[in-house]
Amino acid sequence: MILKHKRRKLPGINTTSTADISFILLVSFLVMTSMDVDKGLMRQLPSPETTEQQNITDIEKRNVMNLRITSSGNLLADDTPLDISKLRLKTINFICNVADRKQHVIALNVDSKAPYDAYFNVQNELVAAYNILRNSYARKTFGKSYAMCTPEQREQVRAYYPQRIAETTEWKEDEK
């Protein structure tokens, strides 16, 4: 007599809550992780294709503040050494004392081997100087800070103190 065994069925795994658990884990990871914000400088670059002819204007030498960052990271203002911590005040004085405030230019010449930190610190000081000037004008004109102004008021403040920074990079012959 041969014994026949009945095939036993294996019990199935209950997967009804698996989708819920995975969704909760996904949401918790999305909420708990931090997203890094891109850091950089707000600059508007010219379009690569310029169909219009650009107007070249002559700028008086007294309306130009020449800044240069050397390859060692030193800052020169009109060919004299300047500490970066004094750049903000020098920029404010320059913009306020220019004969035509809207025609000033800050010419920044950067050596191609200059450290990025020096370049970034100079840019921060220049932007901070413009922010101080714009904030004081907004308080004087509108009675509130620049950040609290309406978009139309901000445009008026930017027109009064336009940010005019011309940047060039100095390349050495062996780098071309």
Side-chain angles (χ1 to χ4, degrees):
M1 167 164 167
I2 301 178
L3 295 173
K4 284 191 170 180
H5 291 282
K6 289 186 177 180
R7 288 203 95 155
R8 295 184 198 163
K9 290 187 177 182
L10 293 174
I13 298 174
N14 187 1
T15 59
T16 55
S17 63
T18 307
D20 295 336
I21 292 171
S22 61
F23 180 73
I24 290 171
L25 285 173
L26 177 68
V27 169
S28 65
F29 283 124
L30 286 175
V31 170
M32 290 183 196
T33 57
S34 64
M35 300 290 178
D36 289 336
V37 178
D38 291 338
K39 295 179 182 177
L41 301 172
M42 290 292 291
R43 294 287 181 260
Q44 183 175 1
L45 300 175
S47 62
E49 298 176 10
T50 54
T51 56
E52 306 172 6
Q53 184 178 4
Q54 295 180 350
N55 295 333
I56 299 174
T57 58
D58 291 328
I59 301 171
E60 294 183 30
K61 190 173 184 176
R62 63 184 174 156
N63 291 344
V64 178
M65 181 169 82
N66 290 306
L67 299 176
R68 184 167 177 261
I69 303 174
T70 63
S71 61
S72 59
N74 296 326
L75 176 64
L76 301 174
D78 296 325
D79 295 327
T80 58
L82 178 69
D83 189 30
I84 291 180
S85 62
K86 296 179 182 177
L87 177 61
R88 186 180 306 184
L89 184 60
K90 183 168 180 69
T91 305
I92 291 171
N93 289 335
F94 168 73
I95 295 170
C96 289
N97 295 326
V98 170
D100 187 4
R101 181 187 60 261
K102 294 181 181 181
Q103 294 301 318
H104 77 278
V105 173
I106 299 173
L108 178 60
N109 187 342
V110 183
D111 190 290
S112 61
K113 293 187 178 183
Y116 182 74
D117 288 342
Y119 172 76
F120 197 73
N121 289 335
V122 167
Q123 286 289 343
N124 279 343
E125 291 300 314
L126 292 175
V127 170
Y130 277 104
N131 287 341
I132 289 170
L133 289 170
R134 289 174 175 175
N135 200 30
S136 66
Y137 179 74
R139 285 191 189 280
K140 184 175 74 173
T141 307
F142 305 114
K144 53 187 169 184
S145 68
Y146 178 74
M148 301 302 290
C149 290
T150 64
E152 294 82 19
Q153 292 171 335
R154 286 184 186 182
E155 185 61 36
Q156 183 179 345
V157 172
R158 282 193 301 268
Y160 191 80
Y161 283 118
Q163 186 171 335
R164 297 175 52 99
I165 302 173
E167 295 182 25
T168 58
T169 304
E170 187 176 286
W171 293 94
K172 305 293 184 209
E173 288 299 318
D174 59 326
E175 293 178 296
K176 287 184 179 178

